[in-house]
Amino acid sequence: MAEAHRMVSSAWRRQGHYARATDVAVTAAQQLTADRTTDVTERLSVQGNLYATAAYTAAKQGDRHTAYALIAEAEATAGQLGQDALLRGTVFGPSQVLLHQVSISHLLGDAGQAIEHARRIDPAALPTTERQARYWIDVARAFDQWGKPDRCYRALLAAEQAALQEVRRSSVRTMAANLMRHDRTLPGVRAFAHRVGALT
């Protein structure tokens, strides 16, 4: 049931209905509190994911207060788990909260805060190469937002090394195209832009 709520929430978010998407996820997370039939680790994992998803959605809407309140709920839930848990193909725990905090801070325009959160994560310890690459892409976005092209570029190269398919995203192509303005100071950036499809 909670997974269905999360999918509904994601669908509303993709359509731009951020408030409704946030409400669906939060309601599902709160309903789980009274659930005594589900294993406690699984319940906390699903609950934490719902709060983290809702926080990200609120940040997409620019609702700073709600985003930070909900990520605090996710962080408290992760604290009860104590470690990252992989259940039914879904990962949740302290590192996942930090990953969401990086994204949320970036969305709210807090690039410096995003990097502070990112520094607390060991990307090599993330469970999949896809998540490692997404970590580096989020770091690149924050450095791009902060006006640090050299660090943005290094993060994108790390993402490419982690999972080549992840750097074919439109957001990476946009950053790569912007980095072309620094062609003379960023060796290899033109070749990178070509590899990710930013140059046609």
Side-chain angles (χ1 to χ4, degrees), residues 12-199:
W12 281 121
R13 186 178 70 224
R14 282 193 297 274
Q15 293 172 34
H17 298 290
Y18 299 126
R20 184 169 288 184
T22 301
D23 287 344
V24 168
V26 170
T27 299
Q30 289 171 341
Q31 286 173 349
L32 277 170
T33 302
D35 183 356
R36 295 290 173 264
T37 61
T38 307
D39 171 74
V40 66
T41 301
E42 184 173 345
R43 177 174 61 79
L44 289 171
S45 180
V46 173
Q47 215 171 3
N49 261 316
L50 285 164
Y51 279 128
T53 298
Y56 177 82
T57 304
K60 288 275 284 186
Q61 191 179 15
D63 186 343
R64 180 178 297 269
H65 174 76
T66 301
Y68 283 133
L70 290 172
I71 201 62
E73 290 282 355
E75 190 171 21
T77 306
Q80 291 179 65
L81 272 175
Q83 62 184 16
D84 289 352
L86 176 59
L87 293 162
R88 299 185 186 182
T90 302
V91 179
F92 182 73
S95 75
Q96 298 308 304
V97 172
L98 280 169
L99 286 170
H100 276 84
Q101 286 172 321
V102 173
S103 299
I104 288 164
S105 295
H106 166 258
L107 285 170
L108 294 173
D110 299 331
Q113 187 68 53
I115 295 303
E116 284 303 310
H117 289 308
R119 285 187 176 131
R120 295 169 55 201
I121 300 169
D122 175 8
L126 295 173
T128 65
T129 55
E130 176 195 4
R131 285 185 184 272
Q132 290 169 18
R134 289 195 182 183
Y135 162 84
W136 286 115
I137 290 169
D138 278 349
V139 168
R141 283 189 184 116
F143 278 130
D144 183 47
Q145 187 178 57
W146 206 355
K148 296 183 181 290
D150 55 332
R151 294 189 176 188
C152 172
Y153 180 43
R154 286 205 299 269
L156 288 174
L157 289 175
E160 182 183 36
Q161 190 170 18
L164 183 62
Q165 70 277 11
E166 290 299 314
V167 295
R168 308 236 189 267
R169 296 170 173 271
S170 61
S171 61
V172 173
R173 287 196 296 273
T174 300
M175 282 188 282
N178 290 339
L179 289 173
M180 288 294 295
R181 290 175 295 167
H182 307 279
D183 188 15
R184 292 181 182 176
T185 55
L186 298 175
V189 73
R190 182 172 290 277
F192 174 77
H194 183 73
R195 289 196 300 276
V196 302
L199 295 178

